Amino acid sequence: MMNAAEETPAPPSRRAGLLAACAAGVSVVLWASAFVSIRSAGTAYSPGALALGRLLAGALVLGVFCLVRREGWPPRSSWRGIATSGVLWFGVYMVALNWGEQQVDAGTAALVVNIGPILIALLAARLLGDRMPPRLLAGMAVSFAGAVTVGLSMSGRGGSSLLGVVLCLLAAVAYAGGVVAQKPALGRASALQVTTFGCLVGAVGCLPFAGQLAAEAAKAPLSATLNMVYLGVFPTALAFTTWAYALARTTAGSMGATTYAVPALVVLMSWLALGEVPGLLTLAGGALCLVGVAVSRSRSRPRTAAPDAVPAPEALPEPRRSERAAESA
């Protein structure tokens, strides 16, 4: 017969934490893969057209899943967060990032865009009441240094325009604001609902680029269009849904720190897929990113009460005079 320890299932909180970590890992891996696809699609599509095409592909896939699962419309109380995250994260962030990375080198982009997780932690502490434990802050500092190191080591001799810096900064702010706005909505609607309707809001906001998308799609090579569709199906539809699932089960600051693993994965994927052998400085930066993520997501061990100490013989109280007299007798 099984003992009690074997019959008792794992605590729900531990299982939920494991599922959230796996979901966050899926998001990070897919977002890292997006950088390889953007290189191909970005040569044939302008920033706004690429964002719109990506969002339309993602919204189509998400809409099908919502119909199959009969998710329905999100509650009215969740629409404020969904609309805000849709405009900022799905709309402004994608266009600004696509445009900004065409104007600055990789080092500047890494320095500016990767302040996003730091802004998430600050905004979450201010607006959501999230705690900022020392481990989170220390891990984010290490990861930020690693992300900048990776960017600088992979930079060419390209220049950096003021417009590009402003666009990357706008992308970082939009990303942080979108994540913080999304968090309360996930308490009222499902992850699939929040992602689907956020993606639809972002697509509607990018409709002014529809003319560019139609004109460029007619001339673009098939590989660029397929990469745009891939961006919509996997790094958008799937990755944003798994992100929302994980965000609903942890703090915004911890989730933001997790994205610092992306630069390290980009280095690895570029090595495997594109044959770009990283240098020692790039590998060191990638290692720093992963170490920082591990530190930020670690938890301090709870202090256990020490067992009752047995007083040493010399610490025992000295017997009273009457007791000594009785013993000598």
Side-chain angles (χ1 to χ4, degrees):
M1 187 176 69
M2 298 174 62
N3 56 37
E6 294 173 337
E7 294 177 346
T8 304
S13 59
R14 182 179 301 177
R15 181 175 180 272
L18 179 60
L19 290 175
C22 292
V26 171
S27 299
V28 168
V29 171
L30 290 177
W31 284 341
S33 73
F35 283 84
V36 179
S37 294
I38 288 174
R39 291 188 184 185
S40 173
T43 59
Y45 290 95
S46 58
L50 177 58
L52 177 59
R54 175 179 179 176
L55 289 170
L56 289 176
L60 178 61
V61 173
L62 289 167
V64 171
F65 274 105
C66 276
L67 291 176
V68 171
R69 292 180 57 85
R70 298 181 180 179
E71 288 283 335
W73 290 83
R76 183 179 300 178
S77 58
S78 66
W79 267 105
R80 180 178 179 181
I82 292 175
T84 303
S85 65
V87 171
L88 292 178
W89 198 6
F90 288 87
V92 175
Y93 168 78
M94 289 191 180
V95 176
L97 183 62
N98 291 344
W99 191 2
E101 289 192 348
Q102 294 180 356
Q103 305 291 322
V104 300
D105 59 38
T108 304
L111 176 63
V112 180
V113 174
N114 279 294
I115 70 172
I118 300 174
L119 294 177
I120 290 174
L122 295 175
L123 288 175
R126 180 70 178 85
L127 301 177
L128 304 179
D130 287 356
R131 296 189 307 108
M132 296 180 64
R135 287 174 179 264
L136 175 62
L137 297 177
M140 293 178 74
V142 173
S143 290
F144 180 73
V148 174
T149 302
V150 169
L152 291 174
S153 65
M154 298 181 70
S155 295
R157 295 185 178 180
S160 297
S161 67
L162 177 60
L163 175 62
V165 173
V166 172
L167 287 169
C168 289
L169 181 60
L170 177 61
V173 174
Y175 160 50
V179 171
V180 174
Q182 191 184 63
K183 175 66 175 177
L186 290 168
R188 302 175 178 90
S190 69
L192 184 57
Q193 288 176 323
V194 171
T195 305
T196 301
F197 288 91
C199 188
L200 285 171
V201 169
V204 171
C206 291
L207 282 179
F209 302 106
Q212 293 181 7
L213 175 61
E216 293 169 2
K219 303 177 182 179
L222 180 60
S223 60
T225 302
L226 290 177
N227 274 286
M228 182 175 65
V229 173
Y230 170 83
L231 289 170
V233 175
F234 293 98
T236 301
L238 179 56
F240 274 80
T241 303
T242 52
W243 167 276
Y245 175 88
L247 180 60
R249 291 158 177 80
T250 185
T251 64
S254 296
M255 285 298 295
T258 304
T259 61
Y260 274 126
V262 170
L265 293 175
V266 169
V267 172
L268 178 60
M269 290 180 181
S270 298
W271 189 0
L272 297 177
L274 304 177
E276 298 178 355
V277 180
L280 292 178
L281 187 60
T282 304
L283 292 175
L288 279 177
C289 291
L290 297 179
V291 169
V293 171
V295 171
S296 65
R297 295 192 66 88
S298 64
R299 296 181 180 180
S300 57
R301 295 180 179 179
R303 296 181 179 179
T304 56
D308 296 336
V310 178
E314 59 271 14
L316 293 173
E318 187 177 351
R320 289 175 294 184
R321 181 181 303 176
S322 60
E323 294 176 348
R324 291 199 300 267
E327 292 175 356
S328 61

